[in-house]
Amino acid sequence: MDDLMKYVSATHDKKLLTVEYIAEDGTHYLRSGGTICWRFFNPGNIRPSKTSVCNSLKIGIGDTKSGRFMIFPSEEVGWNALKLLLKSVYKDMEINNVAKRFAPATDNNDPEKYSKFIVKESGLDGDRHVIDLEEVSLVKLMEAIKKMEGYYNNQDSRRENKVPTTSVILSDGSKPIANEKFKVVIDQCTYEWSTNKYGELPVVAHLASRGRLDIFATTARGAYERIYSSKIGETSQNILLLRSNSSYAAKTDFHKQGEKSTAIYHVKKGDTLSKIAKKLQTTVKRIADLNKIQNVNILSVGQELKIPDGRGLPQTVPSPSSNSSRGNQQQASTGRSDAGYPQANISTSVEQAPWMKVALEEAKRWAGKREEEITLGINYHKEVSVNLNSLAGDSNPWCASFVNYCLINSEPRFPKSNRPAKALSFSSDSRFKKIEQPIFGAIAVYSRKGGGHVCFVYALSEIVNGNVIVLGGNQDDQINFVDRTTRRLVGYFVPVQYEAQALTEITSAPLHKKTAEEMNSSLNINKISNGRES
């Protein structure tokens, strides 16, 4: 978690055991697994109430199988909430009696057991009053409560991920514009979306598989015209689309009040610099200087112009992530893509297949290299505790070791299979779950005479219907992309911790279509493989 990030709201998915924190700049931080007090930054498992002294510190309330609990924005704030509670509500109590109220039997607790634990764990005299504890002793009591509440339990299931996003608001310069339709293109997927009553389009998550965002508006003639285009990067961005008649200007990061900014304007037929300057309340000279235009009388249709910050670009539209007046706003259905797929954006989930980052990094690192050269730099067998001294040769198949290497080196870390050098081990290991359809990063297991092959799903085949594009090691002695048939497919598998997310992605994140040739070319891999082990 980024300690400098300020989170302003949070929600909990009871089924997926995931808290989704939203920062001021729109970044989504996902905290999954572990225990309630860890996910909620709530070391004391403090419950909500209308009169709680901690109300001003919380940013959300999460519903769980054990009831409702406060969600705090950070470890520090959650710790301070517990301290505030003890020093105010429990100050006149002896430590021996704290548990009767803090962990009552009505909440399925055992107050006597709880009390004995915190006294023994803290090393404090149970007859002491909380108000009499010096800072060091109070911290010992708090740590004992934190441990008793289970903060340190289930650490193996903890998962964290920060997901940058792009948020878009449409305005006429004074107020948001609702129910305006746009065509939004994320890479090759097209969506028909409408702004909600706050002028917002659905948030676009910067997932690992995404590279570009384009927004199109409908012209008076009914044709689509691009009004915004950008790369999907590692930083969240907020876009204000300012509409004036049928023209649009896009201002970025409008949530940063007082910061100088520019808008992007696309030149339309009949535009002149004078008309544009008047419409956007700036001057011809400022536009010309900013865009280094030598002849102010020459413009071309579609030309992008930077527009300097001015009165025509309102500062009053709030960032969607920081608008606290909306309460628990429910997002309405936002339409379907041209291909009939539902949109795939932020949900209470984690980053798509984080192990794929490792796989792609290794593919780039060893692009075009064969196993004889790769083994001089890294031995994937040794990296996963397999006693084989080389990747080279028919007796050292390394596809499974490569897959396991990617899993245990991802962030968060995932388990390796019980027989890390065996391709078929994923199909029989209880730490991996079979799913019915391929998703990005799924572990594809194939059988073959005398063994098997294992690799990662990257995309669907653009050339052969039903085939998948896979990324793997020991594919013609390389790390590369291959167009593979499903013949001899044992199944698609994911780590058990990822199963809930995988089931969501089957319907919400359909695979793109690619070719192995284009993917290998993009990484300068100079040999296209048939995917069979050598």
Side-chain angles (χ1 to χ4, degrees), residues 326-340:
R326 295 177 198 177
N328 297 323
Q329 175 193 351
Q330 297 297 315
Q331 184 173 331
S333 175
T334 53
R336 301 175 73 84
S337 73
D338 293 346

Side-chain angles (χ1 to χ4, degrees), residues 469-521:
I469 304 300
V470 298
L471 171 62
N474 203 18
Q475 298 189 151
D476 204 23
D477 299 341
Q478 293 181 318
I479 303 170
N480 55 25
F481 293 90
V482 173
D483 190 322
R484 285 199 68 116
T485 177
T486 55
R487 186 170 59 90
R488 294 182 179 174
L489 175 71
V490 175
Y492 302 110
F493 299 84
V494 295
V496 66
Q497 302 97 320
Y498 198 79
E499 182 185 16
Q501 170 69 6
L503 296 177
T504 299
E505 289 180 19
I506 287 175
T507 56
S508 68
L511 288 168
H512 300 309
K513 287 191 174 183
K514 301 284 186 181
T515 70
E517 183 178 7
E518 70 173 305
M519 294 311 305
N520 284 319
S521 176

Side-chain angles (χ1 to χ4, degrees), residues 399-419:
C399 60
S401 292
F402 174 78
V403 167
N404 278 306
Y405 171 84
C406 296
L407 290 170
I408 66 174
N409 284 281
S410 73
E411 181 58 44
R413 178 188 173 101
F414 289 86
K416 62 184 179 180
S417 64
N418 52 13
R419 293 176 296 158

